[in-house]
Amino acid sequence: MKIKDIYDYLDSLSPFDLQEKWDNSGLVVGSFEEEVKKVYISIDLDEELLSNMEENSLVITHHPLIFSPLKRVNFDSYSTKLLRTLIQKNISLISMHTNIDKTHLNKYVGKDILGLNLENSEEYISYAKVNSSFDKFCEEISKKLNIEELKFVKCSDEVKRVALVTGAGMSMISEVKADCFLTGDIKYHDAMDAKTRGISLIDIRHYESECHFTELLYSLIEKYLKKNKLTAIMANSKNPFSFYNTRRNG
Amino acid sequence: MKIKDIYDYLDSLSPFDLQEKWDNSGLVVGSFEEEVKKVYISIDLDEELLSNMEENSLVITHHPLIFSPLKRVNFDSYSTKLLRTLIQKNISLISMHTNIDKTHLNKYVGKDILGLNLENSEEYISYAKVNSSFDKFCEEISKKLNIEELKFVKCSDEVKRVALVTGAGMSMISEVKADCFLTGDIKYHDAMDAKTRGISLIDIRHYESECHFTELLYSLIEKYLKKNKLTAIMANSKNPFSFYNTRRNG
Amino acid sequence: MKIKDIYDYLDSLSPFDLQEKWDNSGLVVGSFEEEVKKVYISIDLDEELLSNMEENSLVITHHPLIFSPLKRVNFDSYSTKLLRTLIQKNISLISMHTNIDKTHLNKYVGKDILGLNLENSEEYISYAKVNSSFDKFCEEISKKLNIEELKFVKCSDEVKRVALVTGAGMSMISEVKADCFLTGDIKYHDAMDAKTRGISLIDIRHYESECHFTELLYSLIEKYLKKNKLTAIMANSKNPFSFYNTRRNG
Amino acid sequence: MKIKDIYDYLDSLSPFDLQEKWDNSGLVVGSFEEEVKKVYISIDLDEELLSNMEENSLVITHHPLIFSPLKRVNFDSYSTKLLRTLIQKNISLISMHTNIDKTHLNKYVGKDILGLNLENSEEYISYAKVNSSFDKFCEEISKKLNIEELKFVKCSDEVKRVALVTGAGMSMISEVKADCFLTGDIKYHDAMDAKTRGISLIDIRHYESECHFTELLYSLIEKYLKKNKLTAIMANSKNPFSFYNTRRNG
Amino acid sequence: MKIKDIYDYLDSLSPFDLQEKWDNSGLVVGSFEEEVKKVYISIDLDEELLSNMEENSLVITHHPLIFSPLKRVNFDSYSTKLLRTLIQKNISLISMHTNIDKTHLNKYVGKDILGLNLENSEEYISYAKVNSSFDKFCEEISKKLNIEELKFVKCSDEVKRVALVTGAGMSMISEVKADCFLTGDIKYHDAMDAKTRGISLIDIRHYESECHFTELLYSLIEKYLKKNKLTAIMANSKNPFSFYNTRRNG
Amino acid sequence: MKIKDIYDYLDSLSPFDLQEKWDNSGLVVGSFEEEVKKVYISIDLDEELLSNMEENSLVITHHPLIFSPLKRVNFDSYSTKLLRTLIQKNISLISMHTNIDKTHLNKYVGKDILGLNLENSEEYISYAKVNSSFDKFCEEISKKLNIEELKFVKCSDEVKRVALVTGAGMSMISEVKADCFLTGDIKYHDAMDAKTRGISLIDIRHYESECHFTELLYSLIEKYLKKNKLTAIMANSKNPFSFYNTRRNG
């Protein structure tokens, strides 16, 4: 099967034209005319994952490998180092980023992973009524995402309505209409701002909130690939972060 | 004493002209002609801290209250909400940000707080030889900064040479010449990049690595203020983040 | 009554979305949730006017107090000095600028103040047939606007068709389809250009041509405010300009 | 004599390289190799002035004819209409604008025309001690510039120190260190700002404050031109503004 | 007849609004109110052509005389030198550039000059099936355009489908869907790129491929002008390039 | 030998810091730590040349492979297609472009290839006195560069002083102080402009004028490489252009 055919199927599920201007979703590395047999799905690429992939295959990631356009290919950065291996093994790369955020991923994580009762969803933000104590809600979230130490900003003891943006969503804080905001990669100044606005924050982390892309996309394309004699493989890259806990490790 | 005089003394310690173009260090709120008796020092402002300050005083913070210029003053964001209280209580605000990062803060944290043996320092980056196991080094850092759960990216079992940037320094990763980088506010894509470059990361957090601004500046200006009959008060704003740990809280 | 309700009523009269990109009409200072009892209307703010206003009130001006976004609030410029008083007295500020220019103000001044027979109006320009001698037309305009010394550029002895833009409209000269243009703040180079184009100019001044905003808006919202138990007050700021005339004063 | 030689002499008096980036001083129309016999000097060009000039001559103006670069030459604007006549009569044009503002014009007007006791001069601003009543000072200025009705903003009854910028200088208000500022083309918002800053303004008008360029340059180059058998002619364009005064005309 | 009337007729044939943003089609020099009797048509202007034109006439060119806006009119460049003569002889200039490229010129050259069997045409690109040997196709093209030495990049021995853009079209290479591309002004790096893409190139030159504008426009407007008692004259400027051939000249 | 060592030697010959801002000279593909044995030198890369190179080697070209930064690596353009082969064969690429233009190439071509008597050289332009008939000078140039059909614009029968810029230098026409300009890639509008300026042009073509980079660099680095046991190989990519001549081929 040609990459063009797989690309067209993905486009029918979640149109690439929906992506933001600054995004780079689509066929990032490789040629539409290439024939592939194996299709890997992963939130991202890393060296270990790539070393285990078969040559002449296709990998579909959530995040595009190339964000800042490349003027030098010196194998010293994330993009250029992995680009080399992709080319050496003739592996093609399609990324589905802000398009699938809008059409599937945010809602899937809210409903199927976090078990929230979603009420409505805007482009990147999903909303749910919660009505629970803040501490209890933290406990639930930490269990569902398997996060041992949950970082948060607490503005009140009760959570009434939450807003959810998987990945790194703090740039949307001024649009949030909720008393608690779940998103990842929350920085210090973001926290100071939210605290003053009176909006509680729970950091659901970038990797932990988006690694579900893999199972989600698998469920969306498995049948189609099978029918076309292609094997789909769920193969997430590793979370780059580890944690040293003085209580546990000390 | 007039604010102009205090400003000039601060400028002699750490020239405001050293700040970056995008920075907003200097007299952010208030007038040079104002007379003050009390001087507070804090990494930042928050509502509780401000409510405890006396009227007609001066506060010196590390981070400027205003970063993005204001077109609307609607009391709904960090900057505009606290600006209102500053004006209502006639409290003036001077910020010393990238100028003191360069002249004092980074080196002070490396040497006096983390106990590192600094070898050399560039504009924002300080370097030290370590030669320790990565795990042991993490243990030390977590103790010295009082961080219960330390986030890290581990690329090798030994740490030979560390680079240090207090606050949020990941934009400098391509200049770092060390096998381990200590900085705060490390995001997921930063971690993926560093891992591929083979540079270990230890997240020393923004607040925990820079709240030492307060004691540092106090020690630099206390005598001068006393001589001029002014009271200097160390009065840090609170860390906006709390942590829920399944082991501890669960 | 909440400011949000008053804002919505103003928006129904003259939608804030009609404003130009560079404009800053809307709620410039204050919060939508604030309750107010008194509403002042003025072309602009000045210190005397503000000192006479009651605390916790709302003022609606034609020109936004903030045009260039603020990075420093040092009480040394028009915007920051008056912003301080607004905050100290908890007075909110809504501005209706280019939106009401388009929907009401220009036509109102043309018809009700200058007594012109308006034929058609584009976005910011209103047209009228005149057919009078230039000198006589000047006499009428000076009377109606109460301008003792009228500045003009005379290209012919007759005025056939006039174009009107209140405020400062010389940037629109190339669109004007008339033999005489009435607008304010006419600069020397503007006059040289118009003279070469053969378009006469009469300087109706910025303040004198737009202070009518106050009575206009009063007439538009008085009933609504009364019904809601609010007092509307016409309270123009002063014209900053005075004139020394060698004939009169000398 | 070739235009290049005259240009070089002017450049030795007031280097063209001193001009601002946005300025267009220098040889604006014509060729350096052209031979000329007659040299006219004027603050600006207008149609009447041009119609009286001899063919194949040179005119030196203060303001450059072309400011915004031309994409269409349709003879419907100041620049393109006069450009046509210049070319038809083969008249060349040199402009000396911000370079001579800095080197001669501002100081000349301050000292020789206004009779001020200049203390020091920055790039575009000259300063003088005055110590007079504001009203009396207005009277003097109006006499010296022959302005019948003088527009002003009065912030206090006494004038201690004045700053002077001929032409249109209000963009420099934040640099002015004086209690009274003399400049031309003062707009309404400029006046509101100055009033709040407590800086009085006297509008010395653009034409009235800069038409002295003609006599100044004449005195600077007359001898040199004579020696080279060239005739220099003072020939100001007309002030485009006239005034209708209800007292005088009504 | 007024230029405005001729302009309107041209606009009805090929709307000026179709031009690209960077283009300068329309009335480039002259006034809409001018009366003319003679209309010249030419791909461009040059000094010889202009010297032969009658005064008070109109010339319609393909390329606008002014591309980069003019800040100085020093008669030392193509635009300013010819502008002088246009003004001295009171000749007006209308240019029809990217608008007529889109509506007529490209298709006319493809069909009537090159004798191609056009299949479909996009904005600037026309396509035709060819099915000939590359060498033979070159022979035909060189005959039809009267080009003695034809420059080409040959990627295969057969030509199946050609794309045509008259003038300088290499910036469109990535949109071309053909195995051979005919356009002019092909530069070295363009050739390297096309060769790697496997797209053959034949350089049909800028002048040789677009000088047909003259006969084309003549046929489109002759009747209309005649009816209005105007004379239309085909009067191409000369090709600036000549060729020295070692075989012929050596 | 490491690429870093070769890079440093090249930098000592012609500092990479001399390059223009828009240029991309330096190590474009590969890592400084790579060990190489063979060094190829070529004006550019093409597929045939690359297919003949040994793996794990280094190639030094005049033109950087990457000009516009890459967001997609789809193997459909010159840059991305050849980048793939470079990576697959582990061949590194250093480019020396505007730096060597300035320090060596332009002067070398003027003196050693064209046999001109260079008088002086500015950054990119070299000058020589010629004093010959234009036709005879064309004959010489065509022989020395081996160009069968030479394209030119002839403004006078004699050539007195020539300016030379190898590659594509027409953007510098306004700085040229000579009656004849030698450069490559001359486009139609360039020719129209030069003709009006009275400057003759001879198109020495991009490839034909710069392929001498190869022999030049070879002579500069051969000894150094030999001493370090490296083989240097002159291996120019092919000229992409061919020519069909009706006289010769017809």
Side-chain angles (χ1 to χ4, degrees), chain C residues 43-47 63 67 76-79 81-82 135 138-139 142-143 147-154 168 185-189 191-193 195-198 201 203 205-207 237-248 250, chain D residues 43-47 63 67 76-79 81-82 135 138-139 142-143 147-154 168 185-189 191-193 195-198 201 203 205-207 237-248 250:
Chain C
I43 175 175
D44 265 303
L45 294 181
D46 62 19
E47 292 181 281
H63 297 117
F67 261 122
D76 57 357
S77 64
Y78 178 67
S79 304
K81 201 166 186 180
L82 298 180
D135 295 354
C138 279
E139 198 186 327
S142 68
K143 271 184 200 151
I147 294 177
E148 194 177 317
E149 178 152 304
L150 201 67
K151 187 166 79 169
F152 60 84
V153 174
K154 183 178 176 176
D185 275 341
I186 302 178
K187 299 174 75 173
Y188 168 70
H189 289 300
M192 291 299 278
D193 186 34
K195 198 177 155 194
T196 321
R197 289 173 187 270
L201 299 175
D203 192 329
R205 295 183 186 168
H206 204 134
Y207 182 90
S237 56
K238 286 222 178 113
N239 189 345
F241 288 121
S242 305
F243 296 87
Y244 172 91
N245 190 291
T246 54
R247 217 169 271 262
R248 188 184 62 218
Chain D
I43 175 175
D44 265 302
L45 294 181
D46 63 19
E47 293 181 281
H63 298 115
F67 262 122
D76 56 357
S77 64
Y78 179 66
S79 304
K81 202 166 186 180
L82 298 181
D135 295 353
C138 279
E139 197 185 328
S142 69
K143 271 183 201 154
I147 295 178
E148 195 178 315
E149 177 152 304
L150 201 67
K151 187 166 80 168
F152 60 83
V153 174
K154 183 179 178 176
D185 275 342
I186 303 178
K187 299 173 76 174
Y188 167 71
H189 289 301
M192 293 298 279
D193 185 34
K195 199 178 155 193
T196 320
R197 289 172 187 270
L201 299 176
D203 192 329
R205 293 185 187 166
H206 204 134
Y207 181 90
S237 57
K238 288 222 178 113
N239 188 344
F241 288 122
S242 305
F243 296 88
Y244 172 92
N245 189 291
T246 55
R247 216 170 272 263
R248 188 185 61 218

Side-chain angles (χ1 to χ4, degrees), chain B residues 24-25 28 30 70-73, chain C residues 24-25 28 70-73:
Chain B
N24 198 23
S25 292
V28 181
L70 309 172
K71 253 197 129 165
R72 310 260 169 157
V73 182
Chain C
N24 197 24
S25 292
V28 181
L70 310 171
K71 253 198 131 166
R72 309 261 169 155
V73 182

